[in-house]
Amino acid sequence: MVIQEETTISENLTIVLESSDSKTDIVEYEQGIFDIVTELEVWDIRRIRMTLELAMSYEKRGEILMAEELFVMLWRRLTDECHHHHGVEIHIHTFDVVIEYVHFLRRCHRHEEAANVLICIWSEYEGYHFESETIFLRLKRIGQLMREIGLLSIAVSVFRKCWQWFKSHDKHEHTKSCETIISETMIDIITTVSTSTVSTTSTTTKSTEVVVREMFESTVSRTTVTSETISICKNLISYYMKLEQWSEAIAVTKRSLLLIWKSIVSGSGTIALPKDYGTEAIEIAIYLAVCHHRSHHFHEAEEVYVRVYRACRNSCHIDDPRLFNAYTVLIKFYEEHRHWRKVIETYQDILREYRSHLGSKHHLTIRTLYLLGSLCMEHGHGNEHEYYEEIITILGHGNDTCHPDALEAVMFMCRWHYEMGHWHKLRDVCKILWETWRHRHAGYEKFTAEFVEILYLRYRYVLEHHVHCEYAVLRELIVEYRHTCVKFFGVSAAITIKAMIELAHFSMKMEKHVHDAISLYEEVLQQVEKVTKTTTTTTIITTTTITQVRERLTQAYVQVCSYESVSTQTIERAIKMVLYRYESLRSTLGWAHIETLTVLREVLRLHMKMKKQESITIVRGMLLEATIEIITREKHAKTLYEAGKVFGDMYTSCGLSAHAHAIIHELRLQIITGSATTDNKLGIKLGNAVGRVSFVFLVTIEQTIGDDLSIGYAEVMADYITESVLYESYNRSLKASSTAILGHAARLRSFLLRHKRQSQIERVEEQSFEIFVKKWSFNAQRHIQKLVYISLIEQIGDDTREVNMGDVACRSSVAKVTALFMHDRIQEAYEVAHCAYHFVKEQRSYRKSENIHYGFKLSGLMVMLGLEKPVKANVDAKLRQNMRQLSQEVVREVLKCCKESNIDFVRLPLPDLNGLVALLGEQHNYTDLEWILELLWKSREVQKKWKADTIIEIGRHFVQARYLNASKERRSEAIRLCEDICYNLRRTRGALDLTSLKMSELLSKLYTNMGHYREAQGVHENVLRLVVEGDDGDDRTLDTMDASNARYQVDLLKQSFLRLHGWDKSPEIYVNLVQDLKQMPEYKSHPAWKDVRPANEWNPKEPASETLGKFEAPRTWYLVAPDSFIDEKGGICGNPGRRPGMNVQRATSNWGMNFVHNLLHGNHEDEGNGQKSNRVRMQTVARDEEDGGYGSATEEVL
C-alpha cells in the first residue's frame, strides 16, 4: 500500500511525495567559496604577538633586515591607528612595540638609532594626559631605557612625569620607586657633569635641575624627614657644587639644615648634634662651609666649621669619627691661613717686652707687630688685625693718605675688612689706599699691578653693593682707574687693558654709553693685536679673556642693531664681528653646539635686517651649509634633536619654511636612497657617512616648521625609518635580482603612494618591472605587461606575508580590469584580462577554492557583468566576440577546477548561483548552463530556503537552456518540461496568473520555433477563453487580466493564425471569442483595443512577424534580480505577493503531467504541418532518478 503525505516546497507550491522516496535536506556551506578572508585588525593583541614573534625568529636566523621591517611596519600602523582609535589599549600596544624595537636595536649595537626612537616617542607623549597606570608604567620603562643608553637628563624628565602622576594618584610604592630612580640618575648626571665643561653641561642639564628642584621643594614641605629626603637634598647640593653655582648651593644647604639641624644655622645656644641623621647633618653642614669658602665668605665658612666642631665636641666621644672629621676640616681651614698658635704666643711675649722697654713707636716694636701680624696671618691665629690696627693707629692716625711704614698694614686691613665684611671700614681703608696711589704719595711704588687690581675690585664692590653709590659715581671711579693705569703702567700693560675692559663692561649697562663700550672693546682688540706682535705682555691677558671681549663686543653690536634706527654701516660691522664669533665657536665647540647656533641666529637676524636680496641668498646658503655639516658630523641623537629645534625656529623666523621643506626632502631622499632628485636645484651632495641617526634632526626641523599639529614626532620618525627599511630591503633584492623583489617593491610603492612621491614611484616601478619581465614573460605588448605588473604590486600593497604570485594575480586581474572598464579602456581591459588569465592558469591558482571567486568575476567582466556603471564606449563586434571567447575559456577552466575540487553546486548560496547562471547565459555557454540548471532543478524538492518564484525561474531558464543547447529531440524534451511546468502553475496559481502567463508565452514561442503553430494557437485560445469564461470557477484564482496583456494575447493569437494560414478549429469559434473580448466592459473603451479588427477580417495571406511570438534567447539570465537579496542565505526581497488560498491546489510531486491535448494544444510531436492525431493522450511524468526525474507513463483520456 502506498502512503502519501502533503508537504510544502518553498513558499507557494504544494506537492505530494511518495513515502518510499526519502529526501535529505541540503546543508548549505557556512561560507561561500567566493568570500575573501580578512585579516585580524592591526591593534589586535594576537596579531601584535604573532608579528613580534615572527620578527624575533627572523633575528635569530640572522635576517636582521626582515626583522626590522616587521618592527617598523607594525609600529607605523599602530601610530596610524592612534589617530582613529582613542582608547588606551592602542597606546599601550604602541609602547610595547617601541620597547621591543629598542631592545632589537640595542642587540644590534645600534644605540644611537635606539636613542632616536626613544626621543621621538617621548616627544610624542610628553604632552599627553592619560589616566592609566599601565601607560605610566610603560613610560617609566621608556625612561629606564633612556638611562641605560645615556639619555640621562631626558630620562629624568620622563621619571618626573611618572612621579607626578603616581604622587597625585596616591600610588605610594611607585612614587618611592620613581624618587629612588631619579636620585640614582642624578648621581649618574653629576658624575658625567664632573668630567664635562660647565659651558657644555649648563645647557644640557637645565631640565634635570628643574626636576630635582621640584622634588626638593616637595620633600621640604613634608613634616617628616626620611632617608629619601636626605638623599634628595644631598643630590641637589652636589649638583650645584659640581657646577660651581655657590649661591644656589648655599641656599639649598641652609634649607636642608633647617630640616634636621637648625642650631647649626642659627648658631645660638649650645650646639649639639641632632638625634637622627647626625652623620648626614655633618656632611651637609660641611657642604655649606665649602660653598661659603668658595664664595669667599670666609667668616661664614669659619663659623660653620667652628659650629660643627663645637657640636661634635659637645655631643661626641673623643674617639668618635665624626669629631675627628670635624676638627680635621677645621684645622685644614686654619692651615690655609697659616695659624700656628705656639709661634704666635712666643711673639706675643716678645711684643710685650718691646712695648715695656722701647715704646710703641719704636721701629722694633713696629717690626714685631708686623711680624706677629704676619705669623698670625700665615699660621691662622685669628688676631693679626689687632697688630696691624695698632700699627696704623701709631703711624697714620688722622691722615687722608697712608704713612709709608704703615702701607703694608693698611693693605692687610683692606683685605681683612673685606673678608670680615666690615664694609664701612673697608670703604675708609680703600679710600686711603686709592688716594695714596692716585696722587703718587710716598710709598706708591709698592703698589703692584696685582694689588691695584684687587684694590679697585674691593673699592668698587663696597661702593656698589654696600654703600649703593649711583651709576655716575661708579663710572667715574672706573674712568679714574683706567686713566691712572695708563699713567702708572702704560697703555699696553695688561692691567690697563683689563681696566679698559672693565670700563666697557660697565658702559654696557647704560644705553647711552653702548657706543663708548663698542669703541673700548675695539681698542682692546687693537692693543692686544699690537702687543702680541712686539712683546709677551699679553700672556697675562688670557685667551679666555680675549674670547670674552669678542663675545661682549658681539653682544654690544647686537644690542645696537636691535634699535629701530641703525645705519647700514653699523650693521655691516656687526655682521663682521658676529660672523667672526660664529666661526670661532664653530671651530672650537662644533657646528651643533647651542652657543654656536645662538650666534648663528644673530648672524642671520642681522643679514635679514639688511633687507636685501643678496642678504637673503647669504642666509639660505648659511642655513644649508650648517644643516649639511650637522647631519654629516654629529652622531649623538640628543644633540641633533636640540639642534633641530633651533634650526626649525631659524627657518621660520627668516620666512624660509618652504625652503626648509625643500632641503629636508632632498636630504631625506639622499640619505635613504643614496641618490639625489632629478633636478637637485639645491646642489646638495651627501656622502655615505650620513645614517639614520640624522633622522631625528630632520624630523625635529620638519615638526617645528610644520603647520599640521595632528602629526606627531613618533609618526614622522616612524615614516622615516619605515621608508629607510623598505628602501634597504628593496635595493638588496634589486641588486640580487631576487624574485622576492615583487613584495619589496609593492610595499615600498604603497608607502610612496601614500606620501605622493610620484617621481620615486615611477623609478621603483621601472626598475622592478625590468626584473619581473625577465622572470615571467608575457605574450603581450610592453605597456600591457606593465599594466599587469602594476596591478600585481598594487594588490600586494603593505602585505608583509610571503607573496604567492598566482593568488595575487587572481585578485589584481579583477581589480585592474574593473578599473579599466570604468575608464572606458575596453581594449586594454581585454588584453590585461587575457594576459592575467594565462598567467594564473600557468600558476594553477584557480585550483584553490579561495581564488574561484576571482575566476568567475574575471569571466563576468569579459561579458560586462558586475560593473558598477555601464560602459559608455562602443565595443566593436570583433572585440566583443574575443571577450566572450575569453570569458568562456576562463569559466571552463574555473568549472573544471570546481569539479576537481568536488564542489557541490547545489549547496552554494543563491547569490552565487544567481551570478553563475547569469554569467554562463551571457557567454552563450548553453552546455554548462544546462548542466548547472539541471543540477539545481533536480535539487528543488530539498532546497528548503528557496522560494517558489526562484524555483519557477530555475525551471524556466532550464527549459530555455535545454532548448538552445540541444538537437530537435532534446528540444522536444524542453517543450515537454515546459508543458509540465505550465500545468502545475495552472493548478496552483491559475492560468491567468502573471507567472503562469509568462510560462505559457514561453511554451507558445517554443511551439512556434519548432513549427507547431497549431499548438501555439491553442495556448493563446485557451488563455483568452479563460478571460471570457473565467478560470475554472475557483474564486481564489485570477479570472481576468488587464487590457494591455489581453491585447498582447490577441496579437499572439493572430500571429499563430498567420503562420498556420488559418484556424485550427471552426472560424466561428475564434470570431466569437475575439468579439466577446471586444465587448467586455474592461476592454471595450480601452485605447489598446480601439484598432483590434474582428477575427473574420484577418487576412491569412498577410505575412507573419519575424519576431513577435518567436522564441529568442533572453537578454539576462538572472534567477532573481541581483539587488533583491537581503542576505546571503538565498532569501530575496520583492517577491510578488499572493492572495490567500492561491496555493491550496494539489499537484503531482514531480511537475510531470502534460496538459490534455484537446484542451491546450494537441500533439506537438507531429511533423509540424498542422495535422493532429485522432487520438489524444496525456503524458504523466513519474519520478525516475536515472532519467533526470522525467520518466514517461501514459494514461488514456477520453
Side-chain angles (χ1 to χ4, degrees):
M1 178 178 179
V2 179
I3 303 175
Q4 294 184 332
E5 58 181 4
E6 181 176 322
T7 35
T8 302
I9 177 170
S10 299
E11 176 183 338
N12 300 323
L13 301 181
T14 302
I15 62 174
V16 176
L17 300 178
E18 296 181 4
S19 60
S20 58
D21 295 337
S22 61
K23 304 292 192 299
T24 303
D25 291 348
I26 296 297
V27 179
E28 187 176 294
Y29 289 131
E30 294 182 358
Q31 180 176 355
I33 63 171
F34 309 137
D35 293 345
I36 303 173
V37 180
T38 58
E39 298 181 351
L40 296 172
E41 295 293 347
V42 68
W43 61 82
D44 193 292
I45 186 60
R46 295 170 294 174
R47 176 172 177 177
I48 293 173
R49 287 174 179 171
M50 288 188 293
T51 304
L52 293 177
E53 290 172 0
L54 180 59
M56 291 177 183
S57 67
Y58 276 131
E59 182 184 359
K60 290 179 181 180
R61 295 202 302 266
E63 296 179 17
I64 302 301
L65 191 58
M66 288 297 297
E68 184 172 12
E69 183 174 338
L70 288 175
F71 278 119
V72 298
M73 290 292 290
L74 181 58
W75 178 24
R76 182 65 182 85
R77 291 179 180 178
L78 286 173
T79 305
D80 285 340
E81 293 299 332
C82 286
H83 294 287
H84 306 293
H85 298 81
H86 303 289
V88 175
E89 292 299 324
I90 187 68
H91 294 280
I92 294 174
H93 296 333
T94 303
F95 273 117
D96 292 337
V97 171
V98 169
I99 290 171
E100 290 299 329
Y101 183 39
V102 169
H103 287 318
F104 165 82
L105 291 174
R106 294 186 65 194
R107 289 195 296 271
C108 297
H109 305 288
R110 292 156 61 183
H111 301 292
E112 286 300 324
E113 293 183 41
N116 264 353
V117 175
L118 291 173
I119 288 175
C120 284
I121 200 69
W122 167 239
S123 299
E124 177 74 12
Y125 285 92
E126 184 177 7
Y128 278 35
H129 299 286
F130 293 99
E131 290 300 321
S132 169
E133 182 179 354
T134 307
I135 285 287
F136 284 93
L137 289 175
R138 295 297 193 278
L139 268 179
K140 180 182 175 184
R141 180 57 185 147
I142 292 292
Q144 291 170 336
L145 289 173
M146 287 181 172
R147 180 185 174 192
E148 294 171 5
I149 290 177
L151 302 174
L152 300 178
S153 59
I154 301 179
V156 171
S157 299
V158 177
F159 293 140
R160 174 200 181 193
K161 186 177 182 71
C162 299
W163 172 72
Q164 289 176 334
W165 191 88
F166 290 137
K167 180 181 177 183
S168 64
H169 291 74
D170 296 327
K171 306 291 183 179
H172 301 294
E173 180 179 356
H174 294 311
T175 303
K176 291 184 178 179
S177 175
C178 287
E179 290 177 351
T180 303
I181 294 175
I182 292 175
S183 299
E184 294 172 354
T185 309
M186 278 299 303
I187 295 173
D188 296 337
I189 292 176
I190 293 170
T191 304
T192 304
V193 168
S194 65
T195 61
S196 308
T197 63
V198 174
S199 61
T200 300
T201 58
S202 62
T203 60
T204 59
T205 58
K206 191 66 179 176
S207 60
T208 304
E209 176 186 352
V210 172
V211 174
V212 182
R213 187 80 188 195
E214 181 179 350
M215 293 185 59
F216 172 79
E217 295 296 338
S218 175
T219 192
V220 165
S221 63
R222 297 175 185 172
T223 57
T224 59
V225 178
T226 64
S227 58
E228 288 79 8
T229 305
I230 302 299
S231 176
I232 293 172
C233 293
K234 288 170 65 178
N235 283 336
L236 187 58
I237 295 168
S238 299
Y239 172 79
Y240 283 131
M241 291 179 70
K242 290 294 182 182
L243 295 180
E244 298 184 2
Q245 297 180 7
W246 306 116
S247 59
E248 288 84 357
I250 290 172
V252 173
T253 307
K254 285 183 177 180
R255 292 183 65 186
S256 301
L257 288 173
L258 288 174
L259 288 176
I260 58 176
W261 197 6
K262 294 183 179 179
S263 60
I264 194 67
V265 179
S266 62
S268 59
T270 302
I271 301 175
L273 292 178
K275 295 181 180 179
D276 300 320
Y277 305 109
T279 303
E280 291 81 359
I282 293 173
E283 185 177 358
I284 295 175
I286 292 175
Y287 285 160
L288 177 61
V290 171
C291 293
H292 278 305
H293 193 181
R294 296 295 177 87
S295 302
H296 301 287
H297 302 159
F298 299 113
H299 179 70
E300 289 83 352
E302 182 181 1
E303 284 184 347
V304 175
Y305 282 126
V306 171
R307 290 172 187 173
V308 172
Y309 169 69
R310 289 176 180 174
C312 292
R313 187 180 61 185
N314 294 335
S315 303
C316 302
H317 294 288
I318 192 64
D319 58 348
D320 195 315
R322 294 177 293 179
L323 177 60
F324 172 80
N325 183 58
Y327 68 69
T328 298
V329 296
L330 178 61
I331 289 174
K332 183 177 180 180
F333 175 79
Y334 283 146
E335 285 178 349
E336 291 182 1
H337 297 278
R338 309 243 178 135
H339 291 171
W340 293 347
R341 188 170 300 279
K342 290 184 179 180
V343 177
I344 293 173
E345 289 176 351
T346 301
Y347 276 98
Q348 286 177 343
D349 291 339
I350 294 173
L351 178 62
R352 286 191 292 268
E353 290 294 325
Y354 281 153
R355 283 174 177 169
S356 61
H357 293 87
L358 300 177
S360 59
K361 293 187 178 181
H362 194 275
H363 69 279
L364 292 177
T365 304
I366 299 299
R367 187 190 69 176
T368 304
L369 287 172
Y370 269 118
L371 183 59
L372 187 57
S374 175
L375 289 171
C376 288
M377 179 183 64
E378 292 178 358
H379 300 293
H381 187 273
N383 297 321
E384 67 273 16
H385 66 282
E386 297 176 0
Y387 304 110
Y388 288 114
E389 282 183 335
E390 186 175 347
I391 293 173
I392 294 172
T393 302
I394 293 172
L395 299 179
H397 182 70
N399 295 328
D400 293 333
T401 58
C402 183
H403 188 281
D405 292 337
L407 188 59
E408 292 184 10
V410 176
M411 290 180 176
F412 171 82
M413 291 307 298
C414 176
R415 178 175 63 83
W416 191 82
H417 284 313
Y418 174 78
E419 293 176 352
M420 296 297 107
H422 303 157
W423 308 118
H424 292 284
K425 292 181 179 180
L426 176 63
R427 179 193 60 183
D428 296 337
V429 171
C430 287
K431 184 176 181 181
I432 291 172
L433 290 172
W434 189 260
E435 294 298 324
T436 300
W437 172 66
R438 191 165 69 90
H439 295 290
R440 296 193 176 189
H441 287 281
Y444 77 91
E445 299 86 354
K446 295 182 180 180
F447 283 76
T448 63
E450 291 78 10
F451 177 74
V452 170
E453 187 174 0
I454 292 173
L455 174 63
Y456 156 73
L457 293 174
R458 290 174 181 170
Y459 195 18
R460 176 186 165 184
Y461 173 78
V462 72
L463 291 178
E464 183 175 2
H465 296 286
H466 297 284
V467 181
H468 304 292
C469 292
E470 296 180 352
Y471 175 84
V473 176
L474 294 174
R475 190 170 190 278
E476 181 62 27
L477 173 67
I478 301 172
V479 171
E480 290 178 357
Y481 174 51
R482 180 208 174 194
H483 180 70
T484 308
C485 283
V486 171
K487 293 192 300 181
F488 198 92
F489 301 107
V491 70
S492 301
I495 190 173
T496 305
I497 295 174
K498 291 180 180 179
M500 286 191 289
I501 295 173
E502 281 290 320
L503 181 56
H505 287 354
F506 197 77
S507 297
M508 287 286 293
K509 295 182 178 181
M510 291 292 289
E511 183 177 327
K512 65 180 181 179
H513 294 302
V514 172
H515 288 282
D516 296 335
I518 292 175
S519 301
L520 287 168
Y521 282 131
E522 290 179 342
E523 183 180 355
V524 168
L525 294 176
Q526 291 174 359
Q527 290 295 331
V528 169
E529 183 178 359
K530 183 191 301 182
V531 173
T532 302
K533 296 178 180 179
T534 57
T535 66
T536 59
T537 306
T538 54
T539 55
I540 302 176
I541 307 299
T542 63
T543 304
T544 302
T545 303
I546 297 174
T547 302
Q548 290 176 352
V549 169
R550 294 187 185 278
E551 183 178 353
R552 295 291 180 87
L553 180 57
T554 301
Q555 294 174 357
Y557 270 121
V558 170
Q559 183 175 344
V560 169
C561 292
S562 65
Y563 304 150
E564 291 295 331
S565 58
V566 58
S567 64
T568 304
Q569 292 78 8
T570 303
I571 296 177
E572 290 176 348
R573 285 162 51 199
I575 289 175
K576 182 178 179 181
M577 181 54 61
V578 178
L579 188 60
Y580 179 86
R581 172 69 176 160
Y582 168 62
E583 292 173 350
S584 175
L585 291 174
R586 201 173 63 190
S587 60
T588 55
L589 299 179
W591 292 79
H593 195 276
I594 191 66
E595 287 190 42
T596 307
L597 298 180
T598 302
V599 177
L600 174 60
R601 188 197 299 269
E602 295 299 334
V603 175
L604 300 179
R605 189 178 67 83
L606 291 172
H607 275 296
M608 296 301 294
K609 197 173 183 66
M610 296 287 287
K611 299 180 180 179
K612 297 180 180 179
Q613 184 61 39
E614 180 183 356
S615 299
I616 296 176
T617 304
I618 293 173
V619 168
R620 288 181 175 179
M622 293 184 70
L623 282 171
L624 177 59
E625 179 189 17
T627 301
I628 294 175
E629 290 295 333
I630 287 176
I631 65 173
T632 304
R633 297 170 181 267
E634 188 56 54
K635 304 300 180 185
H636 297 286
K638 186 174 183 297
T639 304
L640 288 169
Y641 171 69
E642 293 176 347
K645 291 195 293 185
V646 177
F647 267 80
D649 292 338
M650 288 191 292
Y651 277 116
T652 304
S653 61
C654 294
L656 298 176
S657 297
H659 183 64
H661 280 297
I663 292 175
I664 292 171
H665 174 72
E666 184 65 36
L667 291 175
R668 172 176 178 162
L669 182 65
Q670 292 194 25
I671 293 171
I672 292 176
T673 67
S675 59
T677 56
T678 305
D679 49 4
N680 193 11
K681 296 179 180 179
L682 299 173
I684 299 174
K685 292 183 179 179
L686 294 179
N688 297 326
V690 182
R692 295 184 191 173
V693 177
S694 61
F695 286 170
V696 67
F697 178 70
L698 300 180
V699 169
T700 305
I701 295 178
E702 187 173 341
Q703 286 297 100
T704 306
I705 66 177
D707 298 328
D708 192 353
L709 301 179
S710 64
I711 303 177
Y713 276 86
E715 183 175 355
V716 179
M717 176 57 76
D719 278 344
Y720 273 68
I721 297 176
T722 300
E723 184 177 2
S724 178
V725 171
L726 291 176
Y727 255 111
E728 188 174 348
S729 300
Y730 168 72
N731 288 330
R732 182 173 298 178
S733 63
L734 193 65
K735 293 176 182 179
S737 296
S738 172
T739 56
I741 189 174
L742 196 65
H744 296 300
R747 289 187 285 274
L748 177 57
R749 181 186 181 277
S750 176
F751 177 87
L752 296 175
L753 192 63
R754 287 198 303 272
H755 294 78
K756 301 178 181 178
R757 311 266 179 80
Q758 189 58 38
S759 59
Q760 293 176 248
I761 291 172
E762 292 174 358
R763 184 174 182 180
V764 169
E765 288 177 351
E766 192 63 33
Q767 287 178 336
S768 56
F769 174 67
E770 293 300 330
I771 295 178
F772 174 76
V773 294
K774 292 178 182 178
K775 175 66 177 178
W776 291 284
S777 59
F778 299 106
N779 184 19
Q781 299 179 27
R782 181 177 176 84
H783 80 281
I784 297 298
Q785 295 182 24
K786 194 165 186 179
L787 283 176
V788 173
Y789 172 71
I790 296 301
S791 69
L792 288 172
I793 60 177
E794 283 178 345
Q795 187 63 43
I796 295 172
D798 290 331
D799 197 346
T800 57
R801 296 172 298 184
E802 183 178 355
V803 176
N804 184 294
M805 293 295 299
D807 295 347
V808 174
C810 289
R811 300 191 298 270
S812 65
S813 59
V814 172
K816 193 62 177 179
V817 170
T818 302
L820 291 172
F821 270 126
M822 291 299 98
H823 292 83
D824 293 328
R825 297 162 63 181
I826 312 302
Q827 182 67 38
E828 290 181 337
Y830 164 69
E831 294 181 16
V832 168
H834 186 274
C835 189
Y837 163 67
H838 286 286
F839 178 75
V840 173
K841 185 176 180 182
E842 289 179 4
Q843 302 295 319
R844 301 172 65 85
S845 298
Y846 286 140
R847 283 169 171 76
K848 296 182 180 179
S849 60
E850 61 268 22
N851 293 332
I852 292 176
H853 166 76
Y854 299 107
F856 284 122
K857 181 66 175 176
L858 181 63
S859 177
L861 289 172
M862 286 298 96
V863 290
M864 298 186 183
L865 289 179
L867 296 176
E868 295 180 0
K869 60 181 181 179
V871 175
K872 297 180 181 179
N874 294 326
V875 184
D876 61 75
K878 183 177 179 181
L879 177 57
R880 188 179 295 275
Q881 180 63 26
N882 292 337
M883 291 169 59
R884 182 178 288 113
Q885 290 177 357
L886 178 58
S887 177
Q888 293 174 353
E889 187 177 351
V890 174
V891 84
R892 280 197 296 268
E893 176 66 20
V894 176
L895 289 175
K896 177 183 176 183
C897 296
C898 290
K899 294 175 182 177
E900 292 176 356
S901 301
N902 295 322
I903 293 178
D904 189 357
F905 281 90
V906 299
R907 295 178 61 188
L908 295 180
L910 185 57
D912 288 351
L913 296 172
N914 193 49
L916 178 57
V917 169
L919 171 61
L920 295 173
E922 190 68 28
Q923 294 175 344
H924 300 175
N925 185 358
Y926 301 125
T927 301
D928 291 326
L929 179 60
E930 180 187 3
W931 170 73
I932 192 69
L933 287 170
E934 185 175 9
L935 290 177
L936 301 180
W937 182 250
K938 289 180 179 180
S939 68
R940 67 189 183 281
E941 295 181 7
V942 290
Q943 293 287 359
K944 298 302 182 183
K945 296 182 179 180
W946 289 358
K947 296 183 182 296
D949 286 349
T950 303
I951 296 175
I952 294 170
E953 198 68 13
I954 291 173
R956 189 171 69 87
H957 282 316
F958 182 29
V959 170
Q960 293 168 335
R962 172 162 288 184
Y963 183 87
L964 291 169
N965 186 49
S967 62
K968 182 177 180 180
E969 179 182 355
R970 295 285 285 172
R971 289 179 177 178
S972 298
E973 294 179 5
I975 293 175
R976 284 198 299 272
L977 175 59
C978 188
E979 291 170 352
D980 295 339
I981 297 175
C982 287
Y983 173 75
N984 278 275
L985 287 174
R986 174 182 171 84
R987 295 294 305 276
T988 57
R989 298 193 176 197
L992 299 183
D993 182 82
L994 291 178
T995 306
S996 302
L997 288 173
K998 189 177 180 181
M999 190 61 68
S1000 296
E1001 181 184 346
L1002 173 61
L1003 179 61
S1004 171
K1005 291 180 178 181
L1006 294 179
Y1007 285 150
T1008 300
N1009 279 31
M1010 291 291 290
H1012 302 157
Y1013 308 132
R1014 195 180 306 278
E1015 287 82 350
Q1017 191 176 99
V1019 171
H1020 303 302
E1021 177 195 352
N1022 284 299
V1023 170
L1024 292 173
R1025 192 165 301 284
L1026 289 174
V1027 173
V1028 175
E1029 299 176 359
D1031 185 5
D1032 65 21
D1034 192 341
D1035 293 337
R1036 293 169 296 180
T1037 59
L1038 291 174
D1039 293 333
T1040 185
M1041 65 174 66
D1042 61 64
S1044 297
N1045 283 334
R1047 168 61 188 272
Y1048 180 63
Q1049 290 293 329
V1050 171
D1051 290 341
L1052 292 176
L1053 178 65
K1054 181 179 179 181
Q1055 291 300 318
S1056 66
F1057 165 76
L1058 295 177
R1059 291 187 178 100
L1060 188 60
H1061 303 293
W1063 299 108
D1064 178 37
K1065 300 176 183 178
S1066 173
E1068 293 179 358
I1069 296 176
Y1070 301 99
V1071 172
N1072 294 334
L1073 176 61
V1074 174
Q1075 187 63 29
D1076 291 342
L1077 287 168
K1078 292 181 65 176
Q1079 296 303 318
M1080 289 182 69
E1082 295 90 340
Y1083 309 146
K1084 185 174 183 180
S1085 59
H1086 196 279
W1089 283 80
K1090 286 184 179 181
D1091 58 346
V1092 176
R1093 295 167 58 193
N1096 57 355
E1097 297 180 8
W1098 292 355
N1099 185 4
K1101 296 182 179 181
E1102 179 183 341
S1105 172
E1106 295 294 330
T1107 57
L1108 184 61
K1110 287 189 175 183
F1111 172 72
E1112 294 178 351
R1115 293 185 178 181
T1116 62
W1117 289 80
Y1118 287 112
L1119 302 178
V1120 291
D1123 57 354
S1124 64
F1125 291 103
I1126 58 174
D1127 54 41
E1128 296 183 356
K1129 304 300 183 180
I1132 61 174
C1133 63
N1135 191 33
R1138 298 297 310 280
R1139 295 186 308 184
M1142 287 186 66
N1143 59 345
V1144 299
Q1145 300 288 346
R1146 186 179 300 274
T1148 60
S1149 64
N1150 53 12
W1151 293 27
M1153 296 187 65
N1154 291 338
F1155 283 20
V1156 179
H1157 285 266
N1158 62 354
L1159 180 65
L1160 288 178
H1161 48 68
N1163 190 355
H1164 66 265
E1165 294 179 352
D1166 291 343
E1167 296 299 324
N1169 55 8
Q1171 301 298 320
K1172 62 179 181 179
S1173 169
N1174 293 325
R1175 190 179 184 121
V1176 180
R1177 293 178 177 270
M1178 182 182 69
Q1179 299 291 331
T1180 305
V1181 180
R1183 183 68 175 171
D1184 187 353
E1185 293 294 334
E1186 296 180 356
D1187 192 27
Y1190 304 107
S1192 296
T1194 61
E1195 177 184 352
E1196 291 190 0
V1197 179
L1198 296 177

